[in-house]
Amino acid sequence: MAAEGISAATTAAVAAHSWKDSYRGMSSDNIKGLILALSSSFFIGASFIVKKKGLKKAGASGVRAGIGGYSYLYEPLWWVGMITMIVGEVANFAAYAFAPAILVTPLGALSIIISAVLAHIILREKLHIFGILGCALCVVGSTTIVLHAPQEREIESVGEVWELATEPAFLFYAAVVIIVVLILVFHYIPKYGQTHILFYIGVCSLVGSLSVMSVKALGIALKVTLSGMNQLTYPQTWFFTMVVIVCVITQMNYLNKALDTFNTAVVSPIYYVMFTSFTILASVIMFKDWDRQNPTQIVTEMCGFVTILSGTFLLHKTKDMANGSSPTHLRLSKQTDEEDGFGQEGIPLKRQDSLRT
């Protein structure tokens, strides 16, 4: 009996020790990246509300943005919103220097929650019960990813990033992305871009995955430079800078085309899903995030990601729903929003003109 008791105690001690070995907590860099990513989501989410308040205030005394007016440029509140968004983007840029993309990128969904909650409080826009459920799903999924995110890879120079970027696996991925983007831009978009949303979003998402890898490389170079080891003298740093500029310009160009052609409520969730998926794939290939994790952690992260996707789609789907609202009431309220410069929800822009006609 005594021997059995000792054996059981030993087994329990070994199990506790192995559990501690399997979960060592978040590294200091991951914590910094997490704080920066959360700050970015807050600033970006709040910026949409502040800019919308500024647009409405400017539209009340001048020509609305939705019909070609630029009076909002003279509205201080709109500029506060723009500055808030810039701060959020800078924080997001810095987050990639400390934490892996598989942790930072999915947290972008939190900006949707903040925007929806602030719109409910400040703009008096009703948040449907299923929208609240969508927010909860985003929080649960984000928490799951944060708790099981891989530790950031120790990189001490931009040369190490260059070695990772020039490995055959990532070169093959980058080549496939460039070929697919060129085919979409020169063959499919001229024919089907105005009727099929996936072509515009596909270009944005594929190019966006390369831009995030370059942003992360550039962020690491700046972090190492600030620590005392100048990386600005290396040509690799400037190469990554040029890739960031080209990719961001291309990404924004086709994102604007998608937003101008299709409704925002349709573009936003699809773009989030595709952009995040390709970014995680690129990060896994280039930085080998999953090489330092066991299958259980990887599956848990994917479950958290799917949970965020479900919450994002649910939140966008119920964005303009209100309990007891009739379809006629919804159409009238959506038309009012469009006149303010924000577009109708749930109806592609190609159909809006025909409906008004």
Side-chain angles (χ1 to χ4, degrees):
M1 295 292 292
E4 292 179 359
I6 294 174
S7 177
T10 303
T11 303
V14 170
H17 182 71
S18 63
W19 181 87
K20 290 180 180 178
D21 286 341
S22 63
Y23 181 74
R24 298 180 176 86
M26 297 182 66
S27 65
S28 59
D29 278 353
N30 271 24
I31 292 175
K32 292 176 184 176
L34 173 63
I35 294 173
L36 287 168
L38 293 176
S39 302
S40 170
S41 295
F42 175 80
F43 282 113
I44 292 175
S47 70
F48 287 113
I49 306 305
V50 177
K51 285 199 298 182
K52 186 167 183 177
K53 289 280 287 184
L55 285 168
K56 285 190 172 183
K57 188 175 180 181
S61 57
V63 181
R64 290 190 179 98
I67 54 177
Y70 296 96
S71 58
Y72 60 87
L73 294 176
Y74 301 97
E75 177 54 50
L77 196 59
W78 184 85
W79 283 105
V80 171
M82 278 299 298
I83 294 172
T84 304
M85 176 170 284
I86 292 172
V87 171
E89 294 295 348
V90 171
N92 190 58
F93 174 87
Y96 282 112
F98 292 98
I102 198 171
L103 169 62
V104 177
T105 306
L107 292 180
L110 296 180
S111 63
I112 302 173
I113 298 177
I114 294 170
S115 179
V117 172
L118 291 179
H120 177 75
I121 297 173
I122 298 175
L123 301 179
R124 305 299 179 186
E125 296 179 359
K126 293 184 179 180
L127 186 61
H128 194 270
I129 184 64
F130 290 113
I132 297 175
L133 177 60
C135 293
L137 288 174
C138 288
V139 171
V140 171
S142 299
T143 304
T144 303
I145 289 179
V146 167
L147 293 178
H148 296 86
Q151 303 295 340
E152 174 69 340
R153 188 188 186 101
E154 292 292 336
I155 298 177
E156 298 180 355
S157 70
V158 72
E160 294 183 35
V161 183
W162 181 256
E163 291 179 2
L164 294 172
T166 53
E167 288 188 356
F170 186 75
L171 287 177
F172 177 76
Y173 173 81
V176 170
V177 166
I178 293 172
I179 292 172
V180 172
V181 167
L182 291 176
I183 292 173
L184 291 176
V185 169
F186 292 106
H187 180 71
Y188 286 98
I189 286 180
K191 294 181 179 180
Y192 310 109
Q194 297 295 309
T195 56
H196 294 76
I197 190 175
L198 290 180
F199 294 123
Y200 283 140
I201 301 301
V203 172
C204 295
S205 302
L206 288 167
V207 174
S209 68
L210 296 181
S211 71
V212 169
M213 296 303 100
S214 301
V215 163
K216 185 171 179 62
L218 186 58
I220 292 172
L222 293 176
K223 183 179 73 171
V224 175
T225 298
L226 293 176
S227 68
M229 299 174 59
N230 187 11
Q231 303 293 303
L232 301 180
T233 58
Y234 293 93
Q236 293 92 331
T237 302
W238 298 107
F239 174 81
F240 286 126
T241 302
M242 291 301 300
V243 173
V244 169
I245 294 172
V246 173
C247 288
V248 168
I249 291 175
T250 304
Q251 189 178 353
M252 295 307 299
N253 177 46
Y254 285 95
L255 181 59
N256 286 333
K257 290 179 181 291
L259 291 171
D260 184 59
T261 308
F262 303 96
N263 187 267
T264 306
V266 179
V267 173
S268 296
I270 296 176
Y271 176 60
Y272 174 79
V273 171
M274 294 183 67
F275 170 72
T276 306
S277 300
F278 284 124
T279 298
I280 290 176
L281 177 61
S283 181
V284 168
I285 294 173
M286 180 173 172
F287 292 96
K288 301 176 178 61
D289 293 328
W290 284 348
D291 288 357
R292 304 182 295 278
Q293 292 189 292
N294 58 50
T296 302
Q297 292 174 310
I298 295 173
V299 171
T300 304
E301 288 171 9
M302 290 298 96
C303 290
F305 179 49
V306 172
T307 304
I308 293 176
L309 297 185
S310 303
T312 303
F313 270 106
L314 191 59
L315 186 58
H316 275 279
K317 188 67 177 176
T318 60
K319 191 175 180 182
D320 288 325
M321 292 176 63
N323 292 323
S325 296
S326 64
T328 303
H329 174 74
L330 286 175
R331 284 196 297 270
L332 290 174
S333 63
K334 293 166 188 172
Q335 186 174 356
T336 302
D337 285 340
E338 183 193 11
E339 291 174 354
D340 286 334
F342 297 98
Q344 296 183 15
E345 300 296 333
I347 304 175
L349 290 178
K350 286 296 180 182
R351 291 182 54 199
Q352 290 181 22
D353 294 335
S354 61
L355 285 175
R356 283 196 296 270
T357 303

